[in-house]
Amino acid sequence: MKREKMLKRFKKRKEPWDVVVIGGGATGLGVAVDAASRGYSTLLLEQHDFAKGTSSRSTKLVHGGVRYLQQGDISLVLEALKERGLMIKNAPHLVKNQAFVIPNYEWWDGPFYQVGLKVYDLMSGKLGIGSSKKLSKEETVEYIPTIGQKGLKGGVVYYDGQFDDARMALSLAKTAKQYSGVVLNYCRVDGLIKNEEEIITGLKFTDLERGEAHEATAKTVINATGVFADAVKQMDEPGVKPMIQPSQGIHLVVSKEFLPDKYAIMVPQTKDGRVMFAVPWHNKVVLGTTDTIKEKAELEPVPQQKEIDFILETAGQYLRKQPTRKDVLAVFSGLRPLAKPEGDGKSTKEISRHHKVMISLSGLITIIGGKWTTYRKMAEDTVDNAILIGGLPERKCITSTLPIYGFDKNLDITTDPLAVYGTEKYQLLELEEEQPKLAELLSESLPLRKSQVVWAVRHEMARSVEDMLGRRVRALFLDAREAFRIAPEVAKLMAEELGQGEDWVKRQLIEFDELKKVYLIQEA
């Protein structure tokens, strides 16, 4: 997947595109895959990098949502459980089964969660991935040796999915390309083009890398920009009432010693009524999350000190060893694009996670809400609407059985750090055979090889050090200090591949350094 080739393909096309998607996160990429695989000419434009926003900052779970079951939102749970099963089936190199333990400290918790999770299992139907069961106190300690044992009565084990979100996004981009879709990062949409009837017929955008202005004519334009959906709506209807309520969720990453085994912890009710997870991920542990109302959407949200304290304090109530600020290897924050509730007084945890497809009088199709697990269903609903709006030939959605690019059942994503490349892993290793220097490790603790940097530039449209260390590999999210340590060497390797000089390297390192105040815990 080369950016130059994508641009060439865009410029070559003279007829209107069937579908133009604004936004390269989970939803936008899902829409591009759906539209392209149905045979519609598809163009996707992302103003920054694929999954730069919310889509690379999730809890890394593919789940039905045990807490939505608790809230009685059965239809959302059913939909998500079905989609969880399809995701595991269609992308085994990116999604895996994960066992979760709910520790019980109150005697009445046990039966409640036991029954609730049996219902959860039943709702999965044929796409179930494991049966929940009750655990004694001894079994709970056996599963989670680092669990806090004071007052522990027992537990319940159940199964959900886990994945690498940014790598999934990249694989979706490659899937769309496989079906002749054109996907471009670093292309900012500047305005919509309308005819005399005020119907959208295309859009204007700037290729930020080359500083070139372009126009794309389109039968349908889809606004899949997540927390930034209101900005695109404003282009369509200046002064329109905002639809999005951003809510911030932060995660802390600590070392494996806090959760040395393969089991995750799920706390269904923290002191403020939220859900807390401690999940093993890429040989580290992700702790999260929070739910904090934000006034406006930002590209690089900053964690609040009280959010950090809340996670550390809550994790300490369930782990034998209390994690401190010094134990935090990285902190990352994402904004959920929740639909603004009607009327006031609703807390963010009560706002529906259902998605909504909305159509403006101009024909702009906007998709909001939802979550990573249901990205495929959201895309299907959106493209079904695009067929009607754009008068496109009717074709059935095929994504429920569509293998995601790189599909490989034989890779073990628990132990193999290169499994996320899927079938491309073997080409990566061939590259190392041809140039043995590229097999050298840049970081042993992560682990990260020079070949991955070269590969990301040549085949994954990585344009900056942050693209590379934040999303092509997850260094910035797993151990931020280590990511900043290896950044100079990464910048040099990338400059060589991109044909850039010393100035580019300096600029990149200054920009990347700015992220220290976001991904590293600042001393309080």
Side-chain angles (χ1 to χ4, degrees):
M1 189 167 75
K2 297 185 191 303
R3 196 173 186 278
E4 298 72 26
K5 281 189 177 170
M6 289 283 183
L7 267 172
K8 224 178 247 175
R9 273 169 56 184
F10 162 72
K11 288 174 181 174
K12 232 168 92 176
R13 188 174 177 87
K14 296 294 173 259
E15 311 83 57
W17 296 84
D18 292 332
V19 174
V20 174
V21 185
I22 311 172
T27 310
L29 289 162
V31 170
V33 168
D34 189 302
S37 64
R38 292 197 210 196
Y40 303 125
S41 57
T42 305
L43 169 68
L44 176 140
L45 302 167
E46 161 58 45
Q47 68 158 337
H48 202 279
D49 184 31
F50 305 120
K52 157 72 179 173
T54 310
S55 299
S56 59
R57 301 154 190 259
S58 72
T59 315
K60 321 303 174 203
L61 300 182
V62 178
H63 62 129
V66 171
R67 94 183 147 110
Y68 309 131
L69 189 62
Q70 215 177 336
Q71 291 167 359
D73 198 341
I74 303 300
S75 63
L76 181 59
V77 178
L78 277 169
E79 180 179 276
L81 284 171
K82 180 189 172 191
E83 294 303 319
R84 177 193 73 177
L86 294 178
M87 226 165 143
I88 291 173
K89 209 167 73 178
N90 296 335
H93 59 301
L94 291 162
V95 189
K96 71 177 183 78
N97 281 12
Q98 175 64 57
F100 289 79
V101 171
I102 299 181
N104 298 329
Y105 291 89
E106 307 284 352
W107 65 265
W108 61 82
D109 276 357
F112 176 81
Y113 291 114
Q114 228 180 305
V115 172
L117 289 163
K118 278 289 166 230
V119 174
Y120 195 66
D121 294 345
L122 288 168
M123 287 166 80
S124 313
K126 286 183 196 151
L127 292 168
I129 56 174
S131 293
S132 59
K133 65 169 186 174
K134 182 187 175 200
L135 302 175
S136 65
K137 179 184 174 178
E138 293 68 34
E139 286 172 316
T140 307
V141 173
E142 202 181 308
Y143 277 48
I144 313 268
T146 49
I147 195 87
Q149 291 182 36
K150 193 181 173 191
L152 182 69
K153 304 279 189 291
V156 184
V157 65
Y158 76 99
Y159 296 84
D160 252 329
Q162 193 206 28
F163 77 139
D164 188 320
D165 47 13
R167 292 298 313 183
M168 182 75 180
L170 197 64
S171 299
L172 290 175
K174 290 190 171 202
T175 311
K177 181 217 166 214
Q178 213 177 2
Y179 286 90
S180 305
V182 171
V183 293
L184 284 164
N185 54 0
Y186 296 99
C187 283
R188 184 191 64 222
V189 171
D190 301 312
L192 301 168
I193 301 166
K194 297 182 178 182
N195 63 14
E196 290 108 47
E197 281 90 45
E198 288 296 299
I199 300 296
I200 293 172
T201 56
L203 49 71
K204 300 171 186 177
F205 71 94
T206 304
D207 174 357
L208 297 172
E209 188 168 90
R210 296 172 175 226
E212 294 172 354
H214 297 284
E215 286 190 4
T217 54
K219 293 177 188 172
T220 59
V221 172
I222 293 166
N223 173 13
T225 52
V227 286
F228 300 102
D230 282 330
V232 177
K233 283 280 283 179
Q234 287 291 338
M235 287 178 191
D236 181 35
E237 302 172 67
V240 70
K241 209 171 128 202
M243 321 165 283
I244 299 290
Q245 173 58 73
S247 150
Q248 178 160 294
I250 79 153
H251 297 83
L252 306 180
V253 178
V254 292
S255 84
K256 205 180 158 189
E257 65 171 317
F258 288 95
L259 203 61
D261 222 331
K262 58 181 189 283
Y263 296 96
I265 298 174
M266 190 269 215
V267 177
Q269 194 94 21
T270 60
K271 68 172 187 209
D272 70 344
R274 304 191 194 289
V275 174
M276 176 70 78
F277 290 101
V279 189
W281 187 61
H282 287 319
N283 230 15
K284 303 280 188 284
V285 178
V286 177
L287 305 173
T289 181
T290 55
D291 213 337
T292 311
I293 286 275
K294 295 290 277 195
E295 281 314 302
K296 62 178 199 312
E298 329 162 88
L299 204 54
E300 210 47 88
V302 179
Q304 296 175 12
Q305 296 305 326
K306 64 177 186 196
E307 292 179 292
I308 293 166
D309 293 340
F310 170 75
I311 290 179
L312 289 171
E313 188 192 320
T314 308
Q317 290 166 14
Y318 296 92
L319 295 170
R320 217 166 44 207
K321 185 183 170 200
Q322 166 82 52
T324 67
R325 288 168 162 267
K326 284 191 175 68
D327 295 310
V328 177
L329 300 169
V331 53
F332 60 92
S333 317
L335 297 179
R336 301 176 192 90
L338 304 181
K340 252 191 193 307
E342 294 300 319
D344 294 324
K346 263 198 179 182
S347 74
T348 50
K349 66 177 186 287
E350 294 169 306
I351 297 174
S352 169
R353 262 49 170 184
H354 283 274
H355 62 272
K356 279 186 196 170
V357 180
M358 294 175 309
I359 296 156
S360 307
L361 293 172
S362 63
L364 178 69
I365 301 164
T366 299
I367 167 82
I368 61 167
K371 56 193 188 124
W372 243 121
T373 308
T374 56
Y375 87 90
R376 190 209 64 82
K377 182 71 174 86
M378 292 165 72
E380 182 180 343
D381 291 351
T382 307
V383 177
D384 284 348
N385 277 280
I387 292 169
L388 292 171
I389 298 298
L392 306 176
E394 218 163 300
R395 294 179 193 141
K396 275 196 162 49
C397 170
I398 62 164
T399 54
S400 61
T401 54
L402 185 78
I404 300 302
Y405 188 90
F407 179 97
D408 190 334
K409 264 188 181 156
N410 304 314
L411 294 169
D412 183 356
I413 51 181
T414 320
T415 55
D416 182 356
L418 297 181
V420 292
Y421 291 90
T423 47
E424 289 191 327
K425 170 191 166 173
Y426 311 107
Q427 289 158 264
L428 189 72
L429 295 174
E430 270 171 38
L431 180 66
E432 292 183 354
E433 272 175 44
E434 288 160 23
Q435 294 171 262
K437 269 199 92 59
L438 294 181
E440 290 172 14
L441 284 173
L442 284 163
S443 165
E444 283 189 35
S445 66
L446 283 168
L448 171 60
R449 306 135 91 109
K450 289 181 176 177
S451 58
Q452 290 171 273
V453 179
V454 171
W455 185 266
V457 177
R458 287 184 193 174
H459 305 289
E460 297 180 342
M461 289 167 77
R463 315 313 279 179
S464 71
V465 171
E466 189 216 334
D467 291 352
M468 178 64 217
L469 291 175
R471 289 170 292 279
R472 302 304 179 276
V473 297
R474 309 312 304 274
L476 188 57
F477 286 68
L478 291 164
D479 187 342
R481 271 181 197 83
E482 181 70 353
F484 291 114
R485 184 188 73 77
I486 61 178
E489 207 171 343
V490 169
K492 274 182 203 151
L493 278 166
M494 289 185 78
E496 225 167 279
E497 281 299 311
L498 290 163
Q500 297 284 0
E502 267 304 303
D503 285 353
W504 183 88
V505 171
K506 275 184 198 148
R507 255 192 339 269
Q508 279 294 310
L509 292 175
I510 290 166
E511 278 175 32
F512 192 62
D513 220 49
E514 275 292 294
L515 296 172
K516 279 184 177 165
K517 55 176 179 270
V518 183
Y519 289 87
L520 285 173
I521 282 201
Q522 307 305 306
E523 287 312 311

